[in-house]
Amino acid sequence: MSDLNLQMKLKFITFFVSLITVSVFSQETEFVAKVSKNKLGLNQRLRVEFSINKQGADNFAPPNFKNFKIVGGPSHSVSQSWINGKATFSQKYSYIIKPLNKGEFNLPSASIEFEGKTLQTQPVKIIVTDEVEVPKNPNDPDYIAEQNIHLVAEISKSRPYVGEGIYVEYRLYFSNNVGIYDNAVTEAPQYNGFWNQEIKRDGSQVKTALYNGEEYRYAVLNKALLIPTKSGKLTIDPMKMDIVVAVPTGRGDFFGNPITKQIRKEYASARKVVNVKQLPLEGKPESFSGAVGEFTYELTSSKNVLKANESSQIKVEVKGVGNLKLFKLPKIETPKELEVYQPERKEKVNITTGGLSGSVTDNYTVVPAYKGKYKIPKTEFSYFNPRDEKYHTIATDDIFVDVTEGKELVTNTSENQVVKQNVVTTGKNFRYIQTSTSLAPLVKSDFYRSPLFYVLLLLPIAFIPIAIIINKKKEERDADIIGSKQRKADRLARKYLSESKSRLGNKEAFYEALERALHNYLKAKLRVETSDISREKISQLLQEKGVEISTIDEFISVLKDCDFARYTPITNVQMNQEYEKAKQVITQIDKQL
């Protein structure tokens, strides 16, 4: 029985080993070279690793480390694992090297033999700069966090035309050496000189990309469409964030897992400069009103044949991609015999990375009063296309409105005036004048001693005690100085927050209105443009006015919440809480001021 069990165990082990071997050999052969960094200073070092994913490779030959000095290695390691039914194998050769010269170098290929073939790695590009400042302790958590996390602002085009849409994307790059536990936007970027709108994204999916030649994970934090409204150098201020980073300490726990330390660090993207080009003057049409992009244009009528007092819709429509909300549509001219109402504007616009796409329409309601045939003259629409850097003009055809039924409009062909008609008497022209009447004596009523007389006499006397009570209540309210200040502050808070209250339920509109209300309140109280100064300066000004530190912190907290809420999901309950918090803090500041 024991021999039978032994045979069963041997068969199982043989089957398991065979399964691993088949799985490993079924993988595609890869022989690659990886470096710890592609860009370093002359006084720094880097790690080079050559790995193959197949067992049985031999005769490894390292590259010629020209322009570099080997300061460590080679070290050889083999690893094999079986995870979720998938077997992996890796054989690695590692070196620590130091650059000898500044410049841009290609690390040559390494080679290894496998199944009678010689495999080679791809050359690796390495950039060596001047010596950089290296901390005394390379394991310093602040230094590790700074080297492994980068907040980057990327713009789609650095030299657009005025009115041409570009986009800015804020990415947070982080390497596999660190972890992120919490993050918050402390200062949102300012887009002075740009019409801007946030581009909605589907969550913050983590992706992989190369940054400075090294592989990083990254998440898109914010993306916005920018349309410059003037030419010259326009600056995009940095976005600032507080991030809680978990960095390795170089030590391991009982099971060999690395021990990390959490630190809070502030990051800021680089300030970006966009050089905006003025639209060319050469070839600029008279009908150009600022449209930049690619568009189509139409002038249409809902009815060309109608009766007098029957309405028709004249539609002026521009479709395409560009700065759809930032230019004027052509206006139509109609004969004076047609009554035209103010146009109704309709916008169906989507925000994309290429600009605003959709259509903008003006609908004119036209009502004829007289029979006849009328012409609505053609119109022109011009736009500038940044792709071919040329102006384009689209002209429409004349529109004719044929009124088949209605009053005749008789005019003098020489003077273009209506012909006066002679009045014809029929004997019944003045029938409305009454020539007879019947009179009756007027009954005189005596107001004195009437019921109305006594009511009006006693009414002032009845109001005296009411006036006394009202006056007493007013004196009590006036004596209550604290209560009076509270009521005044509450009214002021409701006044400034009225717009944000009306936007409850619409996240973006609510927080924009709430932030604007807070800035407008401080602008009125401090006599400064608070939107142009930092929160630290706002805090300083409020302290100088005698506002308590705790109240100032609550005010700054609401401002931060306005920025952060735009990048996170928010419920209606949270918006209501934010509104009440803002109302309370304005009331407190006003009482203390």
Side-chain angles (χ1 to χ4, degrees):
M1 189 70 175
S2 59
D3 293 339
L4 182 61
N5 289 336
L6 181 61
Q7 290 178 4
M8 292 291 291
K9 288 180 180 179
L10 289 174
K11 287 181 179 180
F12 178 77
I13 294 171
T14 304
F15 171 76
F16 185 74
V17 172
S18 301
L19 190 63
I20 293 177
T21 305
V22 170
S23 178
V24 169
F25 278 92
S26 64
Q27 298 175 2
E28 186 178 350
T29 306
E30 290 183 352
F31 182 43
V32 295
K34 292 183 179 180
V35 293
S36 57
K37 59 180 71 177
N38 291 77
K39 187 176 181 180
L40 71 161
L42 189 59
N43 58 332
Q44 292 182 298
R45 301 176 178 183
L46 76 152
R47 179 185 179 90
V48 185
E49 185 179 87
F50 306 93
S51 63
I52 186 169
N53 64 341
K54 288 296 181 70
Q55 192 173 4
D58 199 4
N59 295 331
F60 169 76
N64 180 7
F65 290 103
K66 186 181 179 182
N67 299 310
F68 294 91
K69 179 182 178 181
I70 298 175
V71 295
S75 61
H76 179 223
S77 64
V78 175
S79 63
Q80 188 169 314
S81 62
W82 178 271
I83 301 174
N84 295 330
K86 184 178 180 181
T88 58
F89 175 85
S90 179
Q91 183 174 327
K92 299 178 181 179
Y93 302 87
S94 302
Y95 294 84
I96 305 296
I97 60 175
K98 179 182 178 181
L100 300 175
N101 303 295
K102 292 191 302 179
E104 189 173 302
F105 309 105
N106 276 329
L107 191 65
S109 302
S111 64
I112 198 169
E113 293 181 2
F114 177 70
E115 293 184 348
K117 296 181 181 180
T118 301
L119 306 178
Q120 290 187 328
T121 61
Q122 294 291 331
V124 180
K125 182 179 178 181
I126 299 175
I127 300 173
V128 181
T129 63
D130 291 323
E131 293 187 0
V132 297
E133 185 178 351
V134 179
K136 296 180 180 178
N137 179 15
N139 295 320
D140 178 41
D142 282 331
Y143 175 74
I144 295 173
E146 183 179 347
Q147 294 296 311
N148 288 275
I149 295 181
H150 309 278
L151 181 56
V152 180
E154 298 183 356
I155 54 176
S156 59
K157 194 172 184 179
S158 59
R159 288 184 56 80
Y161 281 99
V162 173
E164 181 182 0
I166 62 174
Y167 69 87
V168 59
E169 186 174 87
Y170 291 89
R171 292 184 176 185
L172 184 66
Y173 287 92
F174 50 98
S175 73
N176 294 317
N177 301 326
V178 297
I180 295 178
Y181 280 84
D182 190 20
N183 66 87
V185 177
T186 57
E187 190 170 325
Q190 299 294 319
Y191 305 119
N192 297 319
F194 294 94
W195 182 95
N196 66 88
Q197 184 67 49
E198 182 181 351
I199 300 174
K200 293 184 179 180
R201 298 167 293 108
D202 296 332
S204 299
Q205 185 180 0
V206 176
K207 301 178 181 178
T208 304
L210 291 178
Y211 177 71
N212 285 341
E214 299 180 42
E215 189 174 275
Y216 276 80
R217 294 172 293 164
Y218 76 91
V220 178
L221 303 176
N222 185 32
K223 197 170 187 177
L225 170 67
L226 307 180
I227 299 179
T229 57
K230 59 182 180 179
S231 60
K233 288 187 177 181
L234 302 183
T235 303
I236 301 175
D237 292 334
M239 172 189 277
K240 295 182 180 179
M241 296 186 69
D242 270 349
I243 301 176
V244 177
V245 188
V247 297
T249 60
R251 295 179 289 112
D253 59 15
F254 178 78
F255 299 101
N257 299 317
I259 298 175
T260 60
K261 178 182 179 181
Q262 292 187 16
I263 62 169
R264 183 178 292 274
K265 193 169 180 62
E266 184 180 62
Y267 293 85
S269 62
R271 180 177 278 102
K272 290 290 184 178
V273 176
V274 180
N275 296 297
V276 183
K277 297 181 287 185
Q278 182 65 46
L279 294 175
L281 297 176
E282 184 180 354
K284 185 177 180 180
E286 292 184 6
S287 57
F288 180 73
S289 61
V292 178
E294 295 185 44
F295 304 103
T296 60
Y297 172 61
E298 287 184 335
L299 177 66
T300 57
S301 172
S302 63
K303 291 181 182 179
N304 294 93
V305 179
L306 63 160
K307 301 175 184 179
N309 298 322
E310 187 179 354
S311 66
S312 175
Q313 299 291 323
I314 306 296
K315 184 168 72 172
V316 178
E317 184 178 42
V318 173
K319 291 182 181 179
V321 179
N323 58 343
L324 278 167
K325 293 188 176 183
L326 304 180
F327 58 82
K328 295 180 180 179
L329 294 181
K331 294 187 177 297
I332 64 171
E333 295 181 4
T334 59
K336 60 184 179 180
E337 292 83 8
L338 298 179
E339 186 176 0
V340 181
Y341 295 91
Q342 285 294 325
E344 178 188 0
R345 172 63 62 93
K346 289 185 178 180
E347 295 180 352
K348 295 181 181 178
V349 178
N350 297 315
I351 300 169
T352 66
T353 55
L356 300 172
S357 67
S359 65
V360 178
T361 306
D362 276 350
N363 283 316
Y364 293 83
T365 300
V366 177
V367 181
Y370 299 95
K371 181 180 179 181
K373 193 170 184 178
Y374 305 98
K375 181 178 80 171
I376 298 176
K378 63 183 179 181
T379 57
E380 284 188 354
F381 172 73
S382 299
Y383 66 93
F384 179 79
N385 190 336
R387 294 197 178 188
D388 57 17
E389 300 183 337
K390 291 180 181 179
Y391 290 98
H392 300 265
T393 299
I394 304 173
T396 63
D397 296 328
D398 296 332
I399 291 180
F400 292 92
V401 177
D402 190 5
V403 183
T404 57
E405 296 182 20
K407 294 184 293 183
E408 293 284 353
L409 182 65
V410 183
T411 58
N412 188 317
T413 55
S414 59
E415 298 180 3
N416 198 27
Q417 294 180 348
V418 177
V419 177
K420 295 181 179 179
Q421 303 290 329
N422 294 326
V423 179
V424 179
T425 2
T426 63
K428 299 180 180 180
N429 301 65
F430 302 98
R431 293 176 62 189
Y432 60 88
I433 300 177
Q434 188 158 346
T435 56
S436 63
T437 186
S438 58
L439 301 177
L442 179 65
V443 179
K444 184 178 179 182
S445 61
D446 191 3
F447 174 70
Y448 182 64
R449 295 178 185 269
S450 66
L452 181 61
F453 169 78
Y454 288 108
V455 170
L456 295 177
L457 180 65
L458 298 175
L459 195 61
I461 300 174
F463 272 115
I464 291 174
I466 298 175
I468 293 173
I469 295 172
I470 293 174
N471 187 56
K472 189 175 180 181
K473 291 290 184 182
K474 183 177 181 301
E475 289 177 354
E476 291 176 357
R477 287 170 63 90
D478 292 342
D480 183 10
I481 298 175
I482 296 176
S484 178
K485 287 185 177 180
Q486 177 72 34
R487 289 187 294 273
K488 182 181 177 182
D490 285 343
R491 287 195 300 271
L492 189 67
R494 286 193 297 269
K495 171 188 171 184
Y496 279 97
L497 296 173
S498 60
E499 183 184 355
S500 60
K501 186 175 182 180
S502 65
R503 304 292 178 90
L504 281 169
N506 185 341
K507 186 186 78 170
E508 294 181 6
F510 168 74
Y511 281 103
E512 286 178 5
L514 185 62
E515 186 177 22
R516 186 163 55 249
L518 296 175
H519 281 291
N520 287 341
Y521 170 75
L522 289 187
K523 178 181 177 182
K525 288 294 179 182
L526 304 180
R527 301 293 190 272
V528 294
E529 291 289 344
T530 56
S531 58
D532 297 334
I533 61 178
S534 64
R535 291 171 188 160
E536 291 77 11
K537 185 65 176 178
I538 291 174
S539 178
Q540 179 185 344
L541 291 172
L542 289 174
Q543 288 184 49
E544 293 173 356
K545 293 290 185 180
V547 180
E548 296 176 359
I549 298 295
S550 59
T551 306
I552 296 173
D553 291 341
E554 288 180 11
F555 186 88
I556 299 299
S557 174
V558 176
L559 282 177
K560 288 182 179 179
D561 290 346
C562 290
D563 289 336
F564 182 66
R566 297 176 187 176
Y567 313 111
T568 57
I570 297 294
T571 65
N572 290 345
V573 175
Q574 290 173 297
M575 281 189 271
N576 274 296
Q577 292 173 348
E578 206 70 58
Y579 171 80
E580 293 298 331
K581 184 178 178 182
K583 178 182 173 182
Q584 183 179 4
V585 75
I586 288 180
T587 301
Q588 291 298 324
I589 291 177
D590 198 67
K591 285 169 59 180
Q592 295 172 29
L593 288 175

